[in-house]
Amino acid sequence: MAKIYKMPQHLADLIAAGEVVERPASVVKELVENSIDAGASSVTVEIRGGGTELIRVTDNGCGMAPEDAENAFLRHATSKLRDERGLEAIGTLGFRGEALAAVSAVARVELTTREQGAAEGTYLALDAGNVTAKRPEGCPDGTTITVRDLFFNTPARLKFMKNDRAEGAAVTAAVLRCALSHPEISLRYIKDGKEECHTPGDGRLDSCIYSTLGRDFAAGLLKAESADGEAQVTGYVSAPSACRGNRSWQIFFLNGRCIKSRLLQAAVEQAYRNVLFTGRFPACVLFITMKLSAVDVNVHPTKAEVRFANEKAAFDGVYWAVKNALAGEERKAELAIPEPVIPANVLQHAAAAPRSDFFKTIPAETYRKAAPQSGAKPYVYGSERANSWANVKDPTNVLYQTKFTMPAAKTAVSDAEETVRVPEARPREEDDFRLVGEALDTYVIVERGESLYLIDKHAAHERVNFDRLKSAEREIAAQLLLTPAVCAVGAEAAEILEENAALLAGFGFEVDRFGPDSVAVRQLPAEVDEKDAGPLMEELAEKLKTGRDIDDIRDGIMASMACKAAIKAGRRSDPQELYGLVRRVLSGEVRYCPHGRPVVMELTKSQLDRGFKRA
Ligand code: ADP
Ligand code: MG
């Protein structure tokens, strides 16, 4: 019996809509991009309830004729692309003709629009893609689109929406990027009745940055520029002293389109090498202009990622623009740049798929010695993307190691033994115990005075790690993985981890989204074994989700890290690892593991004697 049938149109549309419209922020982005494409000089964005309740975008652009107004909501209906030739050089933000169809398929939409100079405008209402009303209406020039009850007919998607605050924050980020991409457009953003930002629209990037990202941000910026190569770059980067704790402030526009690009991030960060403290990230707003035909923007449903015909040109353009900005800064204030204590010689190119024959997998130590010093030419990228995610389980898959201080750093490290954390292999003069040995690869046996002690080495080590993390005064060493560990944790967990990337960065993790239900882990705390990345990510997501408050979440993260970093029961440890541990346990400092299990059991001589009927 035949099992295959062609799905009904509305089902196909719903599925397609899911790709374009992921969350309220994607709706806002599409609508504002349409306004920009329509040549608007003024755009107002209004949201309520994180955007699921209401999104309204009003522009003074070209507007639509009555017949176009209805066609605009058909799938693959666009005024921007006529033939395949057009696809090679796309100059508008939209071209797929999918956004309005997708949005209207999963919400209740109203449109009022009037073409410039037309006598009257059009009103159109749609419910889950079906037109429910259409009539002529008096309205100002331009277009207003109102989207209500987003995902009301797709409960599965609705379930994935985070709270209004989180969705609202994502909308804000999207709006600010749109505003920054066009300083000549005056953009007004109103969230839950409150004006969050209003750009002047005077065409100046600096005033636009001021009104979107704030005064503090605008104060610490350096002008970046390079025009020699195939990629012209202009914009601003943060002064080394004004860098951030994460990468969310690295904003790139390619031919006016906001894009995500590991390649360009790497270019920026490489230009900062030896200037920045590790764990600090430069912020930037950079505009890259390349020939339209040198870029393929049609590789991603929401067009957030692009493909460069010449990756090296894009990389070099950005690299030199940033380098120039920093060089200017150095001349201006020779003493202002702090001497880097730990040079941030980061080659952040893991995700940019280095050519496999260019790279050798080498131990971190070797790499560090061989790492090029400042002033070196920028790294040259290969263009093949093959195998970039393979080889995940390779234990030597560590690009380099670095140390950084916890965000809540209090005091400098004083106890050298603990910093390096290689316990001594030999007993010390003052030790009042004798390490008898290890049993069952799990318990350490120690004799002291009139007692025998059995120590659960994993639980004890876990506790030691936890306390060390918690004291927040030690440096966490982190390892950058040569190829990211891709962890399929499920869509919800992936969302949560992505949302909390900044928080996790404070603990030495670098995690970002990799497809709908996975994350790519690019950096781990040094003591965590790479093969634990997957389980650890799942655990962290769970803690982030269920934590009562931020302190609870932080404790949870630290407990998980402590556990993964601890010597494992069932694995034989050398005496070196054990001595330090025993000292801490017998000093009474460590009694319970972070999960509350005891770490040590005491058997007194009299207990033993009684057992053997000696007493
Ligand atoms: P695309 O932007 O890829 O063409 P959309 O579904 O976003 O696809 O929009 C379909 C068409 O509707 C656009 O090509 C454009 O002609 C018209 N349109 C959408 N929004 C606006 C607007 N704000 N002002 C004028 N025309 C618009
Ligand atoms: Mg569009």
Side-chain angles (χ1 to χ4, degrees), residues 85-391:
R85 255 177 306 133
L87 205 51
E88 279 160 28
I90 293 165
T92 48
L93 295 169
F95 60 87
R96 297 170 64 109
E98 284 188 325
L100 291 186
V103 173
S104 66
V106 293
R108 301 182 222 277
V109 174
E110 283 174 284
L111 163 82
T112 52
T113 185
R114 191 167 70 127
E115 248 188 324
Q116 304 275 351
E120 59 180 4
T122 307
Y123 169 87
L124 194 68
L126 299 95
D127 209 289
N130 303 310
V131 178
T132 55
K134 184 181 177 184
R135 57 174 180 264
E137 192 162 277
C139 60
D141 281 351
T143 303
T144 298
I145 296 187
T146 309
V147 178
R148 288 195 172 83
D149 304 331
L150 187 63
F151 301 130
F152 78 95
N153 57 343
T154 52
R157 181 57 65 96
L158 198 56
K159 222 174 48 209
F160 277 107
M161 288 305 106
K162 286 196 266 307
N163 56 32
D164 290 357
R165 199 183 41 76
E167 294 301 334
V171 170
T172 303
V175 171
L176 297 187
R177 280 165 171 71
C178 288
L180 283 167
S181 71
H182 287 270
E184 78 287 2
I185 296 177
S186 170
L187 192 143
R188 189 160 167 243
Y189 174 45
I190 301 160
K191 189 170 145 200
D192 296 314
K194 185 171 157 272
E195 183 178 286
E196 295 274 317
C197 121
H198 193 169
T199 64
D202 59 4
R204 295 185 50 136
L205 181 58
D206 53 355
S207 53
C208 194
I209 290 177
Y210 188 99
S211 39
T212 48
L213 304 180
R215 189 177 41 169
D216 289 353
F217 190 90
L221 292 178
L222 310 173
K223 182 116 191 68
E225 205 129 44
S226 83
D228 305 336
E230 270 177 51
Q232 282 84 56
V233 179
T234 94
Y236 290 92
V237 296
S238 54
S241 55
C243 284
R244 316 269 140 176
N246 62 58
R247 295 201 172 90
S248 58
W249 299 90
Q250 297 182 351
I251 302 173
F252 300 98
F253 299 105
L254 175 68
N255 297 337
R257 183 190 306 282
C258 187
I259 58 160
K260 284 188 201 152
S261 167
R262 293 286 300 181
L263 179 81
L264 302 185
Q265 284 182 343
V268 170
E269 288 176 21
Q270 194 157 348
Y272 273 84
R273 282 199 321 156
N274 297 337
V275 182
L276 261 197
F277 293 95
T278 311
R280 304 292 291 165
F281 299 98
C284 66
V285 180
L286 291 176
F287 289 76
I288 301 107
T289 313
M290 294 184 89
K291 275 215 304 285
L292 295 177
S293 56
V295 186
D296 187 355
V297 295
N298 190 24
V299 293
H300 194 273
T302 63
K303 295 161 279 181
E305 281 166 31
V306 298
R307 196 176 289 145
F308 297 98
N310 183 350
E311 291 198 328
K312 185 175 180 327
F315 184 94
D316 284 356
V318 168
Y319 176 87
W320 288 114
V322 179
K323 258 307 208 214
N324 293 342
L326 292 172
E329 168 77 344
E330 248 165 287
R331 278 195 297 279
K332 238 173 28 215
E334 277 170 32
L335 296 172
I337 298 175
E339 183 72 20
V341 181
I342 309 148
N345 46 350
V346 189
L347 279 165
Q348 295 285 10
H349 46 234
R355 263 186 16 223
S356 47
D357 61 350
F358 188 95
F359 260 104
K360 277 203 297 271
T361 310
I362 49 170
E365 193 51 45
T366 321
Y367 173 77
R368 215 171 321 160
K369 283 194 200 114
Q373 295 308 303
S374 67
K377 292 283 284 176
Y379 167 70
V380 180
Y381 275 81
S383 52
E384 296 93 321
R385 302 189 72 90
N387 292 329
S388 59
W389 306 105
N391 194 24

Side-chain angles (χ1 to χ4, degrees), residues 30 33-34 37 80 93-95 99-100 303:
E30 292 293 340
E33 287 189 351
N34 279 347
D37 282 343
K80 300 168 196 172
L93 295 169
F95 60 87
L100 291 186
K303 295 161 279 181

